[in-house]
Every structure is written in C-alpha cells, then in structure tokens.
Amino acid sequence: MAATVFIALEFFMKLLYYTPMAVLASIILSALPGLIDIREACNIWRVDKMDFLICLGAFLGVLFGSVEIGLGVALAISFAKIIIQSLRPQVEVLGRLQGTNTFCSVRQYPVACRTPAVQVIRIDTSFLCFINATFIKERIMEWVRAEVDTSNEKVRERVHSVVLDMSNVVNIDTSGLVGLEEIHKELASLGIQMAIASPGWQAIQKMKLAHVVDRIGEDWIFLTVGEAVEGCLTAHKGSAMEC
C-alpha cells in the first residue's frame, strides 16, 4: 500500500494538477458520508459518556479547525479522563457470598454478607500513588469510623479488624507506602487490627524495603481475602480467651 501511494504521488499527481477545485471538493465531499457513523456514535454514548465526549471533541476540532486541533482535543480529554480516574479510584466494601469463600462488592451484589466485626475493603486501582493515596486513606477511615459509630449505637459486636484487599494494586510509590502506614496508625489508635490480602509482587517488595511489612507484621499479610478474614477472627477469639 505504501509503495502504491508513493508511486501515485510521484508520477500521477501531475496529471491532476489542472483539475478544478470544484471537482476536488466534490471528491472529498462524496467521501465524507462514509466517514460519519451516527449509529456508532450513539452506541459510544450508551456505553461510555466520556468516550463520546472524546469523539465529539475530535469531530468538532477537525470540523472547525484542523486535523491537528481535533487530535489535540481528543488527547487532552483522554488525559483528563485518566487523571480523574486516578484521582478518585473505586474503594469498595466487600462481603462473602453465602456458602462460598468468594468476596465481592456489597454494592454490586447486595446478597453478599458482611462479616461481623471485620471490615473488608478493596482498593480498585493498579497504582497506589501520590495522586490517590490521600483520597483512599480518607475514604477507608470514613467507612471504618462510620462502622464503629454504628456498632456502638446498635450495641453489636464492635469492629476489631480491617482487611484491605490489594489484589488490584500492582505497584505502589512512597506516598502510597506512607498512606498505608497512616491507615495502620489510625486504626491502631482505634484499637483495630489491619490486615492486607493479596498485594501485587511489586507492591509487597516495596513494602518490605520500606519496612511497612515489619510495622504491620508479617503475620498480617495474607494470600487471599478469605484467609485474612479467618486469621482476624481466629486472632480475636484467641485474644478474647486470654482476657
């Protein structure tokens, strides 16, 4: 294809030199209807509103400016989308599906049962970093404090453990490590034990190098959420029996 285009530009463009501008314009206009797919645009709108905004920005940029402007608008909106999603990642409270050892979001699956006295929270970001560490920490502590207040008001068993499901966290930076330490300290001040389940290998390696694992305790790093929940329940029963 490249060779054909090169030959056409080199040898046949001279034959079109004296073609009237009206003819060239009609050729371009005849090709435009095939480039506009309204049905696909409507499908993009139904699936993802932000993707439709990118599509619309590129279309208007090219229509009223140039190809470079349309591409620049699309890239700017795409980067803004990535930054917004990184700033405010999903943080979900998990529950166990009855009769299984599977934990899933209670918002997505209302039938999932939350474990009494153990708060299971999943961090839905692949990179725990300076952009989102503060938001995640505040969100987790907000839910924990609300759960503690609710348990005190309803005179039920108080939350004694929080399990952080980090299966989606592939990597972490120093700000993310500091955020984990702050979460651990704030939970400890409330008398709540923190456990971490299934962190990515890069994340756990950095946690070891920064001595975060030593501060949390190697016994509180688990392979799965189910093991973490069982470990928290067993440790609490053991401490209750000692008391």
Side-chain angles (χ1 to χ4, degrees):
M1 185 182 295
T4 303
V5 172
F6 176 78
I7 293 172
L9 292 175
E10 185 67 24
F11 298 105
F12 299 124
M13 286 300 292
K14 295 178 182 180
L15 300 177
L16 302 175
Y17 182 78
Y18 296 102
T19 304
M21 294 295 294
V23 176
L24 295 177
S26 65
I27 294 174
I28 295 173
L29 289 175
S30 65
L32 280 178
L35 299 177
I36 301 175
D37 192 344
I38 298 178
R39 180 178 297 178
E40 183 62 24
C42 294
N43 184 53
I44 294 174
W45 168 263
R46 287 193 298 268
V47 174
D48 193 322
K49 303 297 189 295
M50 186 63 74
D51 282 348
F52 177 80
L53 184 61
I54 295 171
C55 173
L56 184 63
F59 175 76
L60 295 177
V62 173
L63 183 63
F64 295 106
S66 64
V67 174
E68 292 78 9
I69 293 176
L71 183 60
V73 171
L75 287 174
I77 299 175
S78 299
F79 279 117
K81 175 184 177 182
I82 295 172
I83 292 173
I84 292 173
Q85 291 178 343
S86 299
L87 282 172
R88 300 176 66 85
Q90 293 290 329
V91 182
E92 300 282 354
V93 176
L94 306 184
R96 189 199 301 263
L97 291 178
Q98 191 171 4
T100 69
N101 202 29
T102 302
F103 288 79
C104 54
S105 170
V106 296
R107 185 165 59 93
Q108 184 178 2
Y109 298 96
V111 296
C113 301
R114 298 172 63 175
T115 305
V118 179
Q119 185 90 334
V120 184
I121 300 174
R122 184 179 64 206
I123 302 173
D124 285 337
T125 181
S126 60
F127 189 24
L128 182 56
C129 58
F130 69 96
I131 294 178
N132 51 36
T134 301
F135 171 79
I136 291 174
K137 184 195 75 171
E138 292 177 351
R139 193 67 181 273
I140 291 174
M141 294 311 304
E142 177 184 348
W143 276 341
V144 171
R145 291 192 180 96
E147 187 68 19
V148 170
D149 294 339
T150 302
S151 61
N152 291 335
E153 291 175 1
K154 295 185 178 180
V155 194
R156 66 185 186 188
E157 188 176 1
R158 188 176 184 275
V159 175
H160 57 71
S161 302
V162 170
V163 176
L164 297 184
D165 179 8
M166 295 180 59
S167 57
N168 293 326
V169 180
V170 178
N171 205 346
I172 188 171
D173 68 356
T174 53
S175 297
L177 294 170
V178 172
L180 287 179
E181 289 188 31
E182 291 178 352
I183 293 172
H184 178 253
K185 290 179 182 178
E186 293 190 27
L187 291 176
S189 66
L190 296 173
I192 299 174
Q193 176 64 50
M194 185 179 85
I196 294 177
S198 187
W201 71 269
Q202 289 182 333
I204 192 64
Q205 184 68 19
K206 291 184 179 180
M207 290 167 62
K208 289 180 178 178
L209 293 174
H211 304 290
V212 175
V213 172
D214 296 334
R215 297 184 183 94
I216 297 175
E218 292 185 359
D219 294 337
W220 295 104
I221 309 295
F222 297 90
L223 185 61
T224 64
V225 175
E227 292 177 359
V229 172
E230 294 301 326
C232 292
L233 293 174
T234 302
H236 181 67
K237 289 180 181 178
S239 62
M241 292 178 63
E242 291 178 1
C243 294

